[in-house]
Coordinates of all heavy atoms in Angstrom, one line a residue:
M1 N -145.8 -148.3 26.3 CA -145.0 -149.2 25.6 C -144.2 -150.0 26.6 O -143.8 -149.5 27.7 CB -143.9 -148.3 24.8 CG -142.8 -149.2 24.2 SD -141.8 -148.3 23.2 CE -142.7 -148.3 21.7
R2 N -144.1 -151.3 26.3 CA -143.4 -152.1 27.2 C -141.9 -151.8 27.0 O -141.3 -151.8 26.0 CB -143.7 -153.6 26.9 CG -142.9 -154.7 27.8 CD -143.3 -156.1 27.4 NE -144.6 -156.3 27.9 CZ -145.6 -156.5 27.1 NH1 -145.6 -156.5 25.8 NH2 -146.9 -156.8 27.7
M3 N -141.2 -151.7 28.3 CA -139.8 -151.3 28.2 C -139.1 -152.3 29.2 O -139.6 -152.8 30.2 CB -139.5 -150.0 28.8 CG -140.0 -148.9 27.9 SD -138.6 -148.6 26.6 CE -139.1 -146.9 26.1
M4 N -137.9 -152.7 28.8 CA -136.9 -153.4 29.7 C -136.0 -152.5 30.3 O -135.4 -151.7 29.5 CB -136.2 -154.5 29.0 CG -135.2 -155.3 29.9 SD -134.2 -156.4 29.1 CE -133.0 -155.3 28.2
L5 N -136.1 -152.3 31.6 CA -135.0 -151.5 32.3 C -133.9 -152.3 32.7 O -134.2 -153.4 33.4 CB -135.6 -150.9 33.5 CG -136.3 -149.6 33.4 CD1 -137.5 -149.6 32.5 CD2 -136.7 -149.0 34.7
K6 N -132.7 -152.1 32.4 CA -131.5 -152.7 32.8 C -130.8 -151.8 33.7 O -130.4 -150.6 33.4 CB -130.5 -153.1 31.6 CG -129.2 -153.7 32.1 CD -128.3 -153.9 31.0 CE -127.0 -154.6 31.4 NZ -126.1 -154.6 30.4
I7 N -130.8 -152.2 35.0 CA -130.3 -151.5 36.1 C -129.0 -152.1 36.6 O -129.1 -153.3 37.0 CB -131.3 -151.3 37.2 CG1 -132.6 -150.7 36.7 CG2 -130.7 -150.5 38.4 CD1 -133.9 -151.2 37.4
S8 N -127.9 -151.4 36.5 CA -126.6 -152.0 36.9 C -126.1 -151.1 38.1 O -125.9 -149.9 38.0 CB -125.6 -151.9 35.8 OG -126.1 -152.8 34.6
V9 N -125.8 -151.8 39.2 CA -125.3 -151.2 40.5 C -123.8 -151.4 40.7 O -123.4 -152.5 40.6 CB -126.2 -151.7 41.6 CG1 -125.6 -151.1 42.9 CG2 -127.6 -151.6 41.5
P10 N -123.1 -150.3 40.6 CA -121.6 -150.3 40.9 C -121.3 -151.2 42.2 O -122.0 -151.0 43.2 CB -121.2 -149.0 41.1 CG -122.2 -148.1 40.3 CD -123.5 -148.8 40.6
T11 N -120.3 -151.8 42.2 CA -119.9 -152.7 43.2 C -119.8 -152.1 44.6 O -120.3 -152.5 45.6 CB -118.5 -153.5 43.0 OG1 -118.8 -154.2 41.6 CG2 -118.2 -154.6 44.0
V12 N -119.1 -150.9 44.6 CA -118.9 -150.3 46.0 C -120.2 -149.9 46.6 O -120.5 -150.1 47.7 CB -117.9 -149.0 45.8 CG1 -117.9 -148.2 47.0 CG2 -116.5 -149.6 45.4
E13 N -121.1 -149.2 45.7 CA -122.4 -148.8 46.3 C -123.2 -150.0 46.7 O -124.0 -149.9 47.7 CB -123.0 -147.9 45.3 CG -122.5 -146.5 45.1 CD -121.3 -146.3 44.1 OE1 -120.8 -147.5 43.8 OE2 -120.9 -145.3 43.8
G14 N -123.2 -151.0 45.8 CA -124.0 -152.2 46.1 C -123.5 -152.9 47.3 O -124.5 -153.3 48.2
N15 N -122.3 -152.9 47.5 CA -121.7 -153.6 48.8 C -122.2 -152.8 50.0 O -122.6 -153.5 51.0 CB -120.2 -153.7 48.8 CG -119.7 -154.7 47.8 OD1 -120.4 -155.6 47.3 ND2 -118.3 -154.7 47.5
K16 N -122.1 -151.5 50.0 CA -122.6 -150.6 51.1 C -124.0 -150.9 51.3 O -124.4 -151.1 52.6 CB -122.3 -149.2 50.9 CG -122.7 -148.3 51.9 CD -122.3 -146.8 51.5 CE -122.6 -145.8 52.6 NZ -124.0 -145.6 52.7
A17 N -124.8 -150.8 50.4 CA -126.3 -151.0 50.5 C -126.6 -152.4 51.0 O -127.6 -152.6 51.8 CB -127.0 -150.7 49.3
L18 N -125.9 -153.4 50.6 CA -126.2 -154.8 51.1 C -125.8 -154.9 52.5 O -126.6 -155.5 53.3 CB -125.4 -155.8 50.1 CG -125.7 -157.2 50.3 CD1 -127.2 -157.5 49.9 CD2 -124.8 -158.0 49.4
K19 N -124.7 -154.4 52.8 CA -124.2 -154.5 54.2 C -125.1 -153.7 55.3 O -125.3 -154.2 56.3 CB -122.7 -154.1 54.3 CG -121.7 -155.0 53.8 CD -120.3 -154.5 53.8 CE -119.5 -155.4 53.2 NZ -118.0 -154.9 53.2
D20 N -125.5 -152.5 54.8 CA -126.4 -151.8 55.8 C -127.9 -152.2 55.8 O -128.6 -151.5 56.5 CB -126.1 -150.4 55.6 CG -126.8 -149.7 54.4 OD1 -127.6 -150.3 53.7 OD2 -126.4 -148.6 53.9
G21 N -128.2 -153.1 54.9 CA -129.6 -153.5 54.9 C -130.5 -152.7 54.0 O -131.7 -153.1 53.9
S22 N -130.0 -151.7 53.4 CA -131.0 -150.9 52.7 C -131.2 -151.4 51.2 O -132.4 -151.0 50.7 CB -130.4 -149.4 52.5 OG -129.2 -149.5 51.8
M23 N -130.5 -152.3 50.7 CA -130.8 -152.8 49.3 C -132.1 -153.6 49.4 O -132.9 -153.4 48.4 CB -129.6 -153.7 48.8 CG -129.9 -154.2 47.4 SD -128.5 -155.1 46.7 CE -127.4 -153.8 46.2
E24 N -132.2 -154.5 50.2 CA -133.4 -155.4 50.3 C -134.7 -154.7 50.4 O -135.6 -154.8 49.7 CB -133.3 -156.4 51.4 CG -134.5 -157.5 51.3 CD -134.3 -158.6 52.3 OE1 -133.5 -158.5 53.2 OE2 -135.3 -159.4 52.2
K25 N -134.5 -153.6 51.4 CA -135.8 -152.7 51.6 C -136.1 -151.9 50.3 O -137.2 -151.7 49.9 CB -135.7 -151.8 52.8 CG -135.5 -152.6 54.0 CD -135.2 -151.7 55.2 CE -135.0 -152.5 56.5 NZ -134.3 -151.7 57.6
F26 N -135.1 -151.3 49.7 CA -135.2 -150.5 48.6 C -135.9 -151.3 47.3 O -136.7 -150.8 46.6 CB -133.9 -149.9 48.1 CG -134.0 -149.0 46.9 CD1 -134.3 -147.8 47.0 CD2 -133.8 -149.6 45.7 CE1 -134.4 -146.9 45.9 CE2 -133.9 -148.8 44.5 CZ -134.2 -147.4 44.7
I27 N -135.3 -152.5 47.2 CA -135.8 -153.3 46.0 C -137.3 -153.7 46.3 O -138.1 -153.6 45.3 CB -135.0 -154.7 45.9 CG1 -133.5 -154.2 45.4 CG2 -135.7 -155.7 45.0 CD1 -132.5 -155.3 45.2
E28 N -137.7 -154.1 47.5 CA -139.0 -154.5 47.8 C -140.0 -153.3 47.6 O -141.0 -153.4 46.9 CB -139.1 -154.9 49.3 CG -138.6 -156.4 49.5 CD -138.7 -156.7 50.9 OE1 -139.3 -156.1 51.8 OE2 -138.1 -157.7 51.3
H29 N -139.5 -152.1 48.1 CA -140.4 -150.9 47.9 C -140.5 -150.5 46.4 O -141.6 -150.3 46.0 CB -139.7 -149.7 48.7 CG -140.5 -148.4 48.6 ND1 -141.7 -148.3 49.1 CD2 -140.1 -147.2 48.0 CE1 -142.1 -147.1 48.8 NE2 -141.1 -146.4 48.2
S30 N -139.4 -150.6 45.8 CA -139.5 -150.2 44.2 C -140.3 -151.2 43.4 O -141.0 -150.7 42.6 CB -138.1 -150.2 43.7 OG -137.3 -149.1 44.3
L31 N -140.2 -152.5 43.6 CA -140.9 -153.4 43.0 C -142.5 -153.2 43.4 O -143.4 -153.3 42.4 CB -140.6 -154.9 43.3 CG -139.2 -155.3 42.8 CD1 -138.9 -156.7 43.2 CD2 -139.1 -155.1 41.3
S32 N -142.7 -152.8 44.6 CA -144.1 -152.5 45.0 C -144.7 -151.3 44.2 O -145.9 -151.3 43.8 CB -144.2 -152.4 46.5 OG -145.5 -152.0 46.8
E33 N -143.9 -150.4 44.1 CA -144.4 -149.1 43.4 C -144.3 -149.2 41.9 O -145.2 -148.7 41.3 CB -143.4 -147.9 43.8 CG -143.8 -147.3 45.2 CD -143.1 -145.9 45.3 OE1 -142.1 -145.6 44.5 OE2 -143.4 -145.2 46.3
L34 N -143.3 -149.8 41.3 CA -143.2 -149.8 39.9 C -144.0 -151.0 39.2 O -144.4 -150.8 38.0 CB -141.7 -150.1 39.4 CG -140.8 -148.9 39.9 CD1 -139.4 -149.2 39.5 CD2 -141.1 -147.6 39.4
K35 N -144.4 -151.9 40.0 CA -145.3 -153.0 39.5 C -144.9 -153.6 38.1 O -145.5 -153.5 37.1 CB -146.7 -152.6 39.3 CG -147.3 -152.2 40.7 CD -148.7 -151.7 40.6 CE -149.3 -151.2 41.9 NZ -148.6 -150.7 43.0
P36 N -143.5 -154.1 38.1 CA -143.1 -154.6 36.8 C -143.8 -155.9 36.5 O -144.4 -156.7 37.4 CB -141.6 -155.0 37.1 CG -141.5 -155.1 38.5 CD -142.6 -154.3 39.2
E37 N -143.9 -156.1 35.2 CA -144.5 -157.4 34.6 C -143.7 -158.5 35.1 O -144.3 -159.6 35.3 CB -144.6 -157.3 33.1 CG -145.2 -158.4 32.4 CD -145.2 -158.2 30.8 OE1 -145.7 -157.0 30.4 OE2 -144.9 -159.1 30.2
A38 N -142.4 -158.4 35.0 CA -141.5 -159.3 35.5 C -140.2 -158.7 36.0 O -139.9 -157.5 35.6 CB -141.1 -160.3 34.4
A39 N -139.5 -159.2 36.9 CA -138.2 -158.8 37.4 C -137.3 -159.9 37.5 O -137.4 -160.9 38.2 CB -138.4 -158.1 38.7
Y40 N -136.0 -159.7 37.0 CA -134.8 -160.7 37.1 C -133.6 -160.0 37.7 O -133.4 -158.9 37.3 CB -134.7 -161.3 35.7 CG -135.9 -162.0 35.2 CD1 -136.8 -161.4 34.2 CD2 -136.2 -163.2 35.4 CE1 -137.9 -162.0 33.8 CE2 -137.3 -164.0 35.0 CZ -138.2 -163.3 34.2 OH -139.2 -163.9 33.7
F41 N -132.9 -160.8 38.4 CA -131.6 -160.2 38.9 C -130.6 -161.2 38.7 O -130.7 -162.5 38.7 CB -132.0 -160.1 40.6 CG -133.1 -159.2 40.9 CD1 -134.4 -159.9 41.0 CD2 -133.0 -157.9 41.0 CE1 -135.5 -159.1 41.2 CE2 -134.1 -157.2 41.3 CZ -135.4 -157.8 41.4
T42 N -129.4 -160.6 38.3 CA -128.2 -161.4 38.0 C -127.0 -160.5 38.2 O -127.1 -159.4 38.7 CB -128.3 -161.8 36.5 OG1 -127.3 -162.8 36.1 CG2 -128.4 -160.6 35.6
A43 N -125.9 -161.0 37.7 CA -124.7 -160.2 37.7 C -124.2 -160.1 36.2 O -124.3 -161.0 35.4 CB -123.5 -160.8 38.5
D44 N -123.9 -159.0 35.8 CA -123.5 -158.7 34.4 C -122.3 -157.8 34.4 O -122.4 -156.6 35.1 CB -124.7 -157.9 33.7 CG -124.4 -157.8 32.2 OD1 -123.8 -158.7 31.6 OD2 -124.7 -156.7 31.6
K45 N -121.2 -158.2 33.8 CA -119.9 -157.4 33.7 C -119.6 -157.1 35.2 O -119.0 -155.9 35.4 CB -120.1 -156.2 32.8 CG -120.4 -156.6 31.4 CD -120.6 -155.4 30.5 CE -121.0 -155.9 29.2 NZ -121.6 -154.9 28.3
G46 N -119.8 -158.0 36.1 CA -119.2 -157.7 37.5 C -120.0 -156.8 38.3 O -119.6 -156.4 39.3
Q47 N -121.3 -156.5 37.8 CA -122.2 -155.6 38.7 C -123.4 -156.3 38.8 O -123.9 -157.1 38.1 CB -122.3 -154.3 38.0 CG -121.1 -153.5 37.8 CD -121.4 -152.1 37.2 OE1 -122.3 -151.9 36.4 NE2 -120.6 -151.1 37.7
R48 N -124.0 -156.1 40.1 CA -125.4 -156.5 40.3 C -126.3 -155.8 39.3 O -126.2 -154.6 39.1 CB -125.8 -156.1 41.8 CG -125.0 -156.7 42.9 CD -125.4 -156.2 44.2 NE -124.6 -156.7 45.3 CZ -123.4 -156.4 45.7 NH1 -122.9 -155.3 45.3 NH2 -122.7 -157.1 46.7
T49 N -127.0 -156.6 38.7 CA -127.9 -156.1 37.6 C -129.4 -156.6 37.8 O -129.5 -157.7 38.2 CB -127.3 -156.5 36.3 OG1 -126.0 -156.0 36.2 CG2 -128.2 -155.9 35.1
A50 N -130.3 -155.7 37.5 CA -131.7 -156.1 37.5 C -132.3 -155.8 36.2 O -131.9 -154.8 35.5 CB -132.4 -155.3 38.6
Y51 N -133.2 -156.7 35.7 CA -134.0 -156.4 34.4 C -135.4 -156.4 34.9 O -136.0 -157.2 35.4 CB -133.8 -157.6 33.4 CG -132.4 -157.6 32.9 CD1 -131.4 -158.5 33.6 CD2 -132.0 -156.9 31.9 CE1 -130.2 -158.6 33.0 CE2 -130.7 -157.0 31.4 CZ -129.7 -157.8 32.0 OH -128.5 -157.9 31.5
L52 N -136.0 -155.2 34.7 CA -137.4 -155.0 35.1 C -138.2 -154.7 33.7 O -137.8 -153.9 32.9 CB -137.6 -153.8 36.0 CG -136.9 -153.8 37.3 CD1 -137.2 -152.5 38.1 CD2 -137.0 -155.0 38.1
F53 N -139.3 -155.4 33.6 CA -140.2 -155.2 32.4 C -141.4 -154.4 32.9 O -142.2 -154.8 33.7 CB -140.5 -156.5 31.8 CG -139.3 -157.3 31.3 CD1 -138.5 -158.0 32.2 CD2 -139.0 -157.1 30.0 CE1 -137.4 -158.6 31.6 CE2 -137.8 -157.8 29.5 CZ -137.0 -158.5 30.4
V54 N -141.5 -153.2 32.4 CA -142.5 -152.2 32.8 C -143.3 -151.6 31.7 O -142.8 -151.7 30.5 CB -141.9 -151.2 33.7 CG1 -141.3 -151.7 34.9 CG2 -140.9 -150.3 33.0
D55 N -144.5 -151.2 31.9 CA -145.2 -150.5 30.9 C -145.0 -148.9 31.1 O -145.4 -148.4 32.2 CB -146.6 -150.8 31.0 CG -147.4 -150.2 29.8 OD1 -147.0 -150.1 28.7 OD2 -148.7 -149.9 30.0
I56 N -144.5 -148.3 30.1 CA -144.3 -146.8 30.3 C -145.3 -146.3 29.1 O -145.1 -146.4 28.0 CB -142.8 -146.4 30.1 CG1 -141.9 -146.9 31.1 CG2 -142.7 -144.9 29.9 CD1 -140.5 -146.7 31.0
K57 N -146.2 -145.4 29.7 CA -147.2 -144.9 28.7 C -146.7 -143.6 28.0 O -147.2 -143.3 27.0 CB -148.5 -144.6 29.5 CG -149.1 -145.9 30.0 CD -150.3 -145.6 30.9 CE -151.0 -146.8 31.5 NZ -150.4 -148.1 31.6
D58 N -145.8 -143.0 28.7 CA -145.3 -141.6 28.0 C -143.9 -141.5 28.6 O -143.5 -141.9 29.7 CB -146.2 -140.5 28.7 CG -145.8 -139.3 28.0 OD1 -146.4 -138.9 26.9 OD2 -145.0 -138.5 28.6
S59 N -143.1 -140.8 27.6 CA -141.6 -140.7 28.0 C -141.3 -139.9 29.2 O -140.4 -139.9 29.9 CB -140.9 -140.1 26.8 OG -141.4 -138.9 26.4
S60 N -142.3 -139.0 29.6 CA -142.2 -138.2 30.8 C -142.2 -139.1 32.1 O -141.9 -138.6 33.2 CB -143.4 -137.2 31.0 OG -144.7 -137.9 31.1
E61 N -142.6 -140.3 31.9 CA -142.6 -141.3 33.1 C -141.2 -141.9 33.3 O -140.8 -142.5 34.3 CB -143.5 -142.5 32.9 CG -145.0 -142.1 33.0 CD -145.9 -143.3 32.7 OE1 -145.7 -144.0 31.8 OE2 -146.8 -143.4 33.6
M62 N -140.3 -141.6 32.4 CA -139.0 -142.2 32.5 C -138.3 -141.8 33.8 O -137.6 -142.7 34.5 CB -138.1 -141.9 31.3 CG -138.6 -142.7 30.0 SD -137.8 -142.2 28.6 CE -136.2 -142.9 28.6
P63 N -138.3 -140.6 34.2 CA -137.6 -140.2 35.5 C -138.2 -141.0 36.7 O -137.5 -141.3 37.6 CB -137.8 -138.7 35.6 CG -138.0 -138.2 34.2 CD -138.7 -139.4 33.5
Y64 N -139.5 -141.1 36.7 CA -140.1 -142.0 37.8 C -139.6 -143.3 37.9 O -139.3 -143.9 39.0 CB -141.8 -142.0 37.5 CG -142.3 -143.0 38.6 CD1 -142.7 -142.4 39.8 CD2 -142.8 -144.1 38.1 CE1 -143.4 -143.3 40.7 CE2 -143.5 -144.9 39.0 CZ -143.7 -144.4 40.3 OH -144.4 -145.2 41.2
F65 N -139.2 -144.0 36.8 CA -138.6 -145.3 36.9 C -137.2 -145.3 37.2 O -136.6 -146.2 37.8 CB -138.9 -146.1 35.6 CG -140.3 -146.5 35.4 CD1 -141.3 -145.6 34.8 CD2 -140.8 -147.6 35.9 CE1 -142.6 -146.0 34.7 CE2 -142.1 -148.1 35.8 CZ -143.1 -147.3 35.2
S66 N -136.4 -144.3 36.7 CA -134.9 -144.4 36.7 C -134.3 -143.6 38.0 O -133.3 -144.0 38.5 CB -134.3 -143.8 35.4 OG -134.7 -142.5 35.3
E67 N -134.8 -142.4 38.3 CA -134.1 -141.7 39.3 C -133.9 -142.2 40.5 O -132.9 -142.1 41.2 CB -134.8 -140.2 39.4 CG -134.8 -139.3 38.2 CD -133.4 -138.8 37.8 OE1 -132.5 -138.8 38.8 OE2 -133.1 -138.6 36.6
R68 N -134.8 -143.1 41.0 CA -134.6 -143.7 42.3 C -133.4 -144.5 42.4 O -132.7 -144.7 43.3 CB -135.9 -144.6 42.5 CG -136.1 -145.8 41.6 CD -137.4 -146.6 41.9 NE -138.5 -145.8 41.5 CZ -139.7 -145.6 42.2 NH1 -139.7 -146.3 43.3 NH2 -140.6 -144.9 41.8
F69 N -133.1 -145.2 41.2 CA -131.8 -146.1 41.0 C -130.5 -145.3 41.0 O -129.6 -145.6 41.6 CB -132.0 -147.0 40.0 CG -133.2 -147.9 40.1 CD1 -134.3 -147.7 39.3 CD2 -133.1 -149.0 41.0 CE1 -135.4 -148.6 39.4 CE2 -134.2 -149.9 41.2 CZ -135.4 -149.6 40.4
F70 N -130.6 -144.1 40.2 CA -129.5 -143.2 40.2 C -129.1 -142.7 41.6 O -127.9 -142.8 42.1 CB -129.8 -142.0 39.3 CG -130.0 -142.4 37.9 CD1 -131.0 -141.7 37.2 CD2 -129.1 -143.2 37.2 CE1 -131.2 -142.0 35.8 CE2 -129.3 -143.4 35.8 CZ -130.3 -142.8 35.1
L71 N -130.2 -142.3 42.3 CA -130.0 -141.6 43.6 C -129.6 -142.7 44.7 O -128.7 -142.3 45.6 CB -131.2 -140.9 44.0 CG -131.6 -139.6 43.3 CD1 -132.9 -139.2 43.6 CD2 -130.5 -138.5 43.4
A72 N -130.2 -143.8 44.7 CA -129.9 -144.8 45.7 C -128.5 -145.5 45.6 O -127.9 -145.8 46.6 CB -131.0 -145.8 45.8
F73 N -128.1 -145.9 44.3 CA -127.0 -146.7 44.1 C -126.0 -146.1 43.1 O -125.1 -146.9 42.8 CB -127.4 -147.9 43.6 CG -128.5 -148.8 44.5 CD1 -129.8 -149.1 44.0 CD2 -128.2 -149.1 45.8 CE1 -130.7 -149.8 44.8 CE2 -129.1 -149.7 46.6 CZ -130.2 -150.1 46.1
N74 N -126.2 -144.9 42.6 CA -125.4 -144.5 41.6 C -125.4 -145.4 40.4 O -124.4 -145.7 39.7 CB -124.0 -144.2 42.1 CG -123.1 -143.3 41.1 OD1 -123.6 -142.5 40.4 ND2 -121.8 -143.7 41.0
A75 N -126.5 -146.0 40.0 CA -126.7 -147.0 39.1 C -126.7 -146.4 37.7 O -127.0 -145.3 37.6 CB -128.0 -147.8 39.5
S76 N -126.5 -147.3 36.7 CA -126.7 -146.9 35.4 C -128.1 -147.5 35.0 O -128.3 -148.7 35.5 CB -125.6 -147.4 34.4 OG -125.5 -148.8 34.4
V77 N -128.8 -146.9 34.3 CA -130.2 -147.5 33.7 C -130.4 -147.3 32.3 O -130.0 -146.2 31.8 CB -131.3 -146.6 34.5 CG1 -132.7 -147.1 34.1 CG2 -131.2 -146.7 36.1
E78 N -130.8 -148.4 31.7 CA -131.0 -148.4 30.2 C -132.4 -148.7 30.0 O -133.0 -149.6 30.7 CB -130.1 -149.3 29.5 CG -128.5 -149.1 29.6 CD -127.8 -150.2 29.0 OE1 -128.2 -150.6 27.9 OE2 -126.8 -150.6 29.6
F79 N -133.0 -148.0 29.0 CA -134.4 -148.3 28.7 C -134.4 -148.9 27.2 O -133.8 -148.3 26.4 CB -135.3 -147.0 28.6 CG -135.5 -146.4 29.9 CD1 -134.7 -145.5 30.5 CD2 -136.7 -146.6 30.6 CE1 -135.0 -145.0 31.7 CE2 -137.1 -146.0 31.7 CZ -136.2 -145.3 32.3
V80 N -134.9 -150.0 27.2 CA -135.0 -150.8 25.8 C -136.3 -151.2 25.6 O -137.0 -151.9 26.3 CB -134.1 -152.1 26.0 CG1 -134.1 -152.8 24.6 CG2 -132.7 -151.7 26.3
P81 N -136.9 -150.6 24.4 CA -138.3 -151.1 24.1 C -138.3 -152.6 23.9 O -137.3 -153.1 23.0 CB -138.6 -150.3 22.8 CG -137.5 -149.5 22.6 CD -136.4 -149.7 23.5
V82 N -139.3 -153.4 24.2 CA -139.4 -154.8 24.0 C -140.8 -155.1 23.7 O -141.7 -154.4 23.9 CB -138.9 -155.6 25.3 CG1 -137.3 -155.3 25.4 CG2 -139.7 -155.3 26.4
M83 N -141.0 -156.3 23.1 CA -142.4 -156.8 22.9 C -142.4 -158.3 23.3 O -141.4 -159.0 23.4 CB -142.7 -156.6 21.5 CG -141.9 -157.4 20.4 SD -142.4 -157.0 18.7 CE -140.8 -156.3 18.2
N84 N -143.7 -158.7 23.5 CA -143.9 -160.1 23.8 C -144.3 -160.8 22.5 O -144.3 -160.3 21.4 CB -145.0 -160.4 24.9 CG -146.4 -159.8 24.4 OD1 -146.7 -159.6 23.2 ND2 -147.2 -159.4 25.4
A85 N -144.6 -162.2 22.5 CA -144.8 -162.9 21.3 C -146.0 -162.4 20.7 O -146.1 -162.4 19.4 CB -144.8 -164.4 21.8
E86 N -147.1 -162.1 21.4 CA -148.3 -161.7 20.8 C -148.0 -160.3 20.0 O -148.5 -160.2 18.8 CB -149.3 -161.5 21.8 CG -150.7 -161.0 21.3 CD -151.6 -160.7 22.5 OE1 -151.7 -161.5 23.4 OE2 -152.3 -159.7 22.4
E87 N -147.3 -159.5 20.6 CA -147.0 -158.1 19.9 C -146.2 -158.4 18.7 O -146.3 -157.7 17.6 CB -146.3 -157.2 20.8 CG -147.2 -156.8 21.9 CD -146.6 -156.2 23.1 OE1 -145.4 -156.5 23.5 OE2 -147.2 -155.5 23.9
L88 N -145.3 -159.4 18.7 CA -144.4 -159.7 17.6 C -145.3 -160.3 16.4 O -145.2 -159.8 15.3 CB -143.3 -160.7 17.9 CG -142.3 -161.2 16.8 CD1 -141.6 -160.0 16.2 CD2 -141.5 -162.3 17.3
S89 N -146.2 -161.1 16.8 CA -147.1 -161.8 15.8 C -148.0 -160.7 15.1 O -148.2 -160.6 13.9 CB -148.0 -162.7 16.5 OG -147.3 -163.8 16.8
K90 N -148.3 -159.6 15.9 CA -149.1 -158.5 15.4 C -148.3 -157.6 14.5 O -148.7 -157.2 13.3 CB -149.6 -157.7 16.5 CG -150.6 -156.6 16.1 CD -151.2 -155.9 17.3 CE -152.0 -154.6 16.9 NZ -152.4 -154.0 18.1
G91 N -147.0 -157.5 14.8 CA -146.1 -156.6 14.0 C -145.5 -157.1 12.8 O -145.2 -156.4 11.8
L92 N -145.4 -158.5 12.8 CA -144.6 -159.1 11.6 C -145.4 -158.9 10.3 O -144.7 -158.6 9.3 CB -144.3 -160.5 11.9 CG -143.1 -160.9 12.7 CD1 -143.1 -162.3 13.0 CD2 -141.9 -160.3 12.3
P93 N -146.7 -159.1 10.3 CA -147.4 -158.8 9.0 C -147.1 -157.4 8.4 O -147.0 -157.2 7.2 CB -148.7 -159.1 9.3 CG -148.7 -160.1 10.4 CD -147.7 -159.6 11.2
K94 N -147.2 -156.5 9.3 CA -146.9 -155.0 9.0 C -145.5 -154.8 8.4 O -145.3 -154.1 7.4 CB -147.2 -154.1 10.1 CG -148.5 -154.1 10.6 CD -148.7 -153.2 11.9 CE -150.2 -153.3 12.5 NZ -150.3 -152.6 13.7
A95 N -144.5 -155.5 9.0 CA -143.2 -155.5 8.5 C -143.1 -156.0 7.1 O -142.5 -155.5 6.2 CB -142.3 -156.2 9.4
L96 N -143.8 -157.2 7.0 CA -143.7 -157.8 5.6 C -144.3 -157.1 4.6 O -144.0 -157.0 3.5 CB -144.3 -159.3 5.7 CG -143.5 -160.2 6.6 CD1 -144.3 -161.6 6.8 CD2 -142.1 -160.5 5.9
A97 N -145.5 -156.3 4.9 CA -146.3 -155.6 4.0 C -145.4 -154.4 3.5 O -145.4 -154.0 2.4 CB -147.5 -155.1 4.5
G98 N -144.6 -153.9 4.4 CA -143.7 -152.8 4.1 C -142.5 -153.2 3.3 O -141.9 -152.2 2.4
I99 N -142.2 -154.5 3.3 CA -141.0 -155.0 2.4 C -141.5 -155.3 1.0 O -140.7 -155.1 0.1 CB -140.4 -156.2 3.1 CG1 -139.8 -155.7 4.5 CG2 -139.3 -156.8 2.3 CD1 -139.2 -157.0 5.3
G100 N -142.6 -155.9 1.0 CA -143.2 -156.5 -0.3 C -143.5 -155.5 -1.2 O -143.3 -155.3 -2.3

């Protein structure tokens, strides 16, 4: 299932990792391992935030995707199921059949 991971890094931990150079290396390594479909970076509610779109085949894979961020940055991680336009087009007829 396609998931959006919202990863928010607390300011203090993020500042430390940015200053010591570990943040850039960590992000490069994580993107290489996790192979997200897309990755976006921004600030949200005053914290450095990343949105990674990944395919998780089984819920047992969730720690593989999240623990690295908890341990490295004391980050908060949210998993949100998402779909692309093609998947939405496939799902809408089923939704309408269930309503009708």
Side-chain angles (χ1 to χ4, degrees):
M1 171 176 281
R2 181 176 286 110
M3 291 280 203
M4 179 185 75
L5 272 62
K6 178 183 178 186
I7 302 150
S8 297
V9 177
T11 304
V12 171
E13 288 85 345
N15 288 348
K16 181 177 180 286
L18 191 61
K19 287 177 183 177
D20 70 17
S22 63
M23 181 177 282
E24 184 177 3
K25 291 175 189 168
F26 179 86
I27 291 171
E28 286 176 11
H29 179 68
S30 294
L31 293 178
S32 173
E33 279 195 347
L34 300 178
K35 297 176 181 32
E37 179 180 316
Y40 299 96
F41 304 89
T42 189
D44 184 40
K45 298 179 185 161
Q47 294 187 326
R48 292 171 181 92
T49 302
Y51 294 93
L52 305 182
F53 295 84
V54 299
D55 185 34
I56 296 181
K57 293 175 183 18
D58 186 87
S59 60
S60 66
E61 292 182 308
M62 292 171 73
Y64 174 75
F65 286 90
S66 60
E67 290 298 333
R68 65 185 71 227
F69 299 104
F70 294 139
L71 294 169
F73 304 120
N74 193 33
S76 66
V77 179
E78 297 176 43
F79 289 85
V80 180
V82 296
M83 63 184 120
N84 62 25
E86 181 181 317
E87 293 160 337
L88 178 63
S89 291
K90 183 178 176 182
L92 284 177
K94 293 177 185 176
L96 292 174
I99 296 171

